[in-house]
Amino acid sequence: MNADGELVAERLAAVRLRIEATGVDPAEVGILAVTKGFGPQAVELALGAGLIEVGENYAQELLAKADALADPGPQWHFIGRLQRNKVRTLAPLVHLWQSVDRVPLGREIARHAPGAAVLVQVNGSGEPQKGGCAPTEVPALVRELGDLGLVVRGLMTVGPAGDPEAARAVFHLVSRLADDLELDLRSMGMTADLEVAVEEGSNLVRVGTALFGPRPAARAVQG
C-alpha cells in the first residue's frame, strides 16, 4: 500500500473509533466514502481501504469517475440533488439512489432502472436550500415509490450546518420516521456530525473529508 493508501486506511480507522466512542458497534454502521470534488484516485483509495460503497453528488463526476476506473468498480450511491434528465445515463451504474424526494423523480428511476433500491430524502430542518421532502410527506412518498416497483430501503437526511448538536433533533425525527415506516436504513451524518447521527440511529454515515482531507474548491456543477 502506498503512502496515500496508508493515510486513508488510518483515517478510516479513526472514523470507526469515533463511531465506537458513541457506544455503538462500528460493525453496525456502514461508511459511505464521498468523493465529491476528488478525482478517480480517491475512489481507488477507498476501495483499497476496503470500502466498496462510494457516494457522488454530481452526475457528471460519477460518470467520469466510473469511466476512468477499472472493473470491478465500487457500488455507487447517488447522494446529491438529481435532475430527472440525468437518470437515464446514471441508471446502469447506481446501486442506491439516496436523494429521491418526489414522485416524478421516482417515476423516472423506475422507468430506467426497474426495481431499483432507493432512499427517500427528508428535509428535516426545513431549510429551503436543502433537498428532500417535508417529513409529513414521507409516508405517502414511500407508498407511491413502492407502487412504482422501487424498493424503498430507508430514509436519508442532511443535518443543518454548524454545531453538530443542532442536527440532533433532525436526526431523531428521521430515525423515528424510519421506525414508524419499518424501514431499516438511515443514511444520516457526515464528517462533522456523525457522532450525533449515530447516537440518534444512523446506520450509514457519509464521509469525505474525514477520509480524503480538505476538498478541492467546489465546482459549478449540477447533478
Side-chain angles (χ1 to χ4, degrees):
M1 183 180 290
N2 63 26
D4 287 341
E6 290 176 357
L7 181 57
V8 170
E10 290 172 3
R11 288 170 169 169
L12 175 58
V15 169
R16 289 183 170 135
L17 285 174
R18 289 175 61 185
I19 294 170
E20 186 175 19
T22 68
V24 174
D25 183 351
E28 297 178 359
V29 181
I31 296 173
L32 182 71
V34 177
T35 55
K36 177 181 74 172
F38 296 101
Q41 184 191 23
V43 182
E44 294 172 341
L45 292 171
L47 292 170
L51 296 174
I52 63 171
E53 296 178 300
V54 174
E56 270 298 336
N57 290 69
Y58 300 128
Q60 293 94 323
E61 284 199 44
L62 191 156
L63 293 168
K65 289 170 189 174
D67 188 58
L69 294 167
D71 290 332
Q75 293 181 352
W76 292 105
H77 292 215
F78 195 85
I79 60 176
R81 281 193 170 183
L82 180 59
Q83 299 169 1
R84 283 184 290 163
N85 63 1
K86 303 295 176 65
V87 170
R88 180 179 60 83
T89 54
L90 290 172
L93 297 169
V94 174
H95 174 75
L96 179 63
W97 307 80
Q98 287 210 25
S99 52
V100 181
D101 59 2
R102 58 199 186 280
V103 171
L105 176 57
R107 188 175 294 118
E108 195 70 10
I109 293 171
R111 176 185 173 194
H112 295 288
V118 304
L119 302 184
V120 167
Q121 182 173 357
V122 186
N123 185 343
S125 65
E127 296 171 277
Q129 74 273 22
K130 281 189 167 63
C133 66
T136 55
E137 298 171 354
V138 171
L141 181 55
V142 168
R143 182 176 63 253
E144 290 176 274
L145 294 175
D147 289 344
L148 290 169
L150 298 172
V151 179
V152 182
R153 292 188 55 202
L155 306 180
M156 180 268 243
T157 196
V158 179
D163 183 356
E165 279 297 324
R168 187 176 296 278
V170 172
F171 296 148
H172 182 77
L173 169 66
V174 172
S175 188
R176 286 289 300 274
L177 270 173
D179 286 343
D180 292 344
L181 295 167
E182 299 183 336
L183 297 172
D184 293 331
L185 193 56
R186 300 98 188 273
S187 175
M188 309 189 302
M190 299 186 289
T191 293
D193 57 14
L194 67 87
E195 287 92 347
V196 173
V198 170
E199 288 169 358
E200 293 300 333
S202 175
N203 53 16
L204 180 63
V205 294
R206 310 181 300 272
V207 291
T209 56
L211 296 174
F212 308 117
R215 183 169 286 118
R219 303 176 186 178
V221 182
Q222 295 299 317

